[in-house]
Amino acid sequence: QQQVKQSPQSLIVQKGGISIINCAYENTAFDYFPWYQQFPGKGPALLIAIRPDVSEKKEGRFTISFNKSAKQFSLHIMDSQPGDSATYFCAARGGATNKLIFGTGTLLAVQP
Amino acid sequence: KAGVTQTPRYLIKTRGQQVTLSCSPISGHRSVSWYQQTPGQGLQFLFEYFSETQRNKGNFPGRFSGRQFSNSRSEMNVSTLELGDSALYLCASSLGGGFGNTIYFGEGSWLTVV
């Protein structure tokens, strides 16, 4: 119940295309869903986050879509750029704690 | 505003030794969490400290321990190191008590056990 399942494991997108990464969870107590971007040798950097009372959140080229009934959420990267090539992690957190449960990560390669 | 600072960034230890890693959270943040990242297991939660008290603990053996000081700075210690402890250890800080608080990560400490 504590798992967050992430797919795909890797993704290749052409420059200017849309990158889509999906995550699913089981625990309905989760109430905060962030996405992190990680470059090699660096720590994860927060990209965007959403709460379950919102179905979509957009920040620049990054959009989270959230489906509470299906217990799924996804990250869309519009107009993907080579600089977006990194590993992306979804995560979930519940209640009065800062324990994040992470997905297994998606390695995104944007080809020029 | 300075981010989460971790020291040392890189270190090599021998099996059986112990190691202490340090984390300075973002100014004003009272919650500090630690994560282990490996290629095989991904990002796994170690423990969280809030106002000097351990609030949550992951599924790691007792060789992994931590503490938080009154200025919110935190240390984690791994005793009797094993080869499998080689990993990137990440510290994360947040304002406080969960719900809605953004969690920020440091660059991590790369530990190699030989």
Side-chain angles (χ1 to χ4, degrees):
Chain A
Q1 245 206 346
Q2 286 291 313
Q3 278 188 321
V4 175
K5 295 181 180 179
Q6 183 172 348
S7 63
Q9 188 173 4
S10 62
L11 181 61
I12 300 174
V13 174
Q14 295 297 315
K15 179 182 175 182
I18 302 174
S19 304
I20 301 174
I21 305 171
N22 301 298
C23 285
Y25 65 97
E26 289 293 327
N27 191 343
T28 55
F30 288 148
D31 57 14
Y32 175 71
F33 302 87
W35 283 89
Y36 287 87
Q37 178 191 57
Q38 187 176 30
F39 292 104
K42 300 290 188 180
L46 179 69
L47 261 181
I48 186 171
I50 198 168
R51 298 184 195 181
D53 54 347
V54 175
S55 61
E56 185 175 282
K57 182 175 181 180
K58 184 177 180 179
E59 289 185 2
R61 295 186 294 110
F62 301 94
T63 300
I64 298 180
S65 297
F66 189 87
N67 186 330
K68 188 174 181 179
S69 60
K71 291 185 281 187
Q72 295 175 346
F73 58 110
S74 60
L75 174 70
H76 291 63
I77 306 174
M78 312 300 287
D79 187 26
S80 298
Q81 299 296 312
D84 296 331
S85 298
T87 301
Y88 292 81
F89 293 93
C90 63
R93 181 189 68 190
T97 173
N98 285 315
K99 175 182 179 180
L100 286 170
I101 306 297
F102 281 91
T104 48
T106 295
L107 180 60
L108 171 65
V110 181
Q111 294 186 334
Chain B
K1 197 174 190 181
V4 180
T5 304
Q6 293 188 243
T7 57
R9 288 296 319 278
Y10 305 92
L11 66 167
I12 300 174
K13 290 287 187 178
T14 304
R15 268 185 306 175
Q17 287 187 315
Q18 73 165 7
V19 66
T20 299
L21 308 177
S22 181
C23 172
S24 293
I26 292 171
S27 177
H29 285 193
R30 294 167 62 195
S31 167
V32 173
S33 303
W34 289 88
Y35 292 80
Q36 181 195 65
Q37 185 174 23
T38 59
Q41 299 298 318
L43 281 150
Q44 292 190 292
F45 173 81
L46 278 157
F47 28 65
E48 179 198 4
Y49 287 87
F50 180 76
S51 295
E52 301 179 67
T53 301
Q54 187 180 86
R55 186 161 68 172
N56 215 332
K57 190 176 190 304
N59 296 324
F60 280 82
R63 301 185 296 108
F64 292 80
S65 62
R67 59 177 176 169
Q68 185 180 33
F69 302 96
S70 59
N71 60 0
S72 294
R73 193 177 67 84
S74 177
E75 289 180 347
M76 68 161 283
N77 184 78
V78 188
S79 62
T80 319
L81 283 166
E82 301 176 359
L83 295 178
D85 297 333
S86 295
L88 175 64
Y89 289 89
L90 292 159
C91 173
S93 81
S94 178
L95 271 173
F99 185 74
N101 289 315
T102 302
I103 300 172
Y104 299 93
F105 282 84
E107 299 285 26
S109 292
W110 287 92
L111 170 64
T112 301
V113 182
V114 297

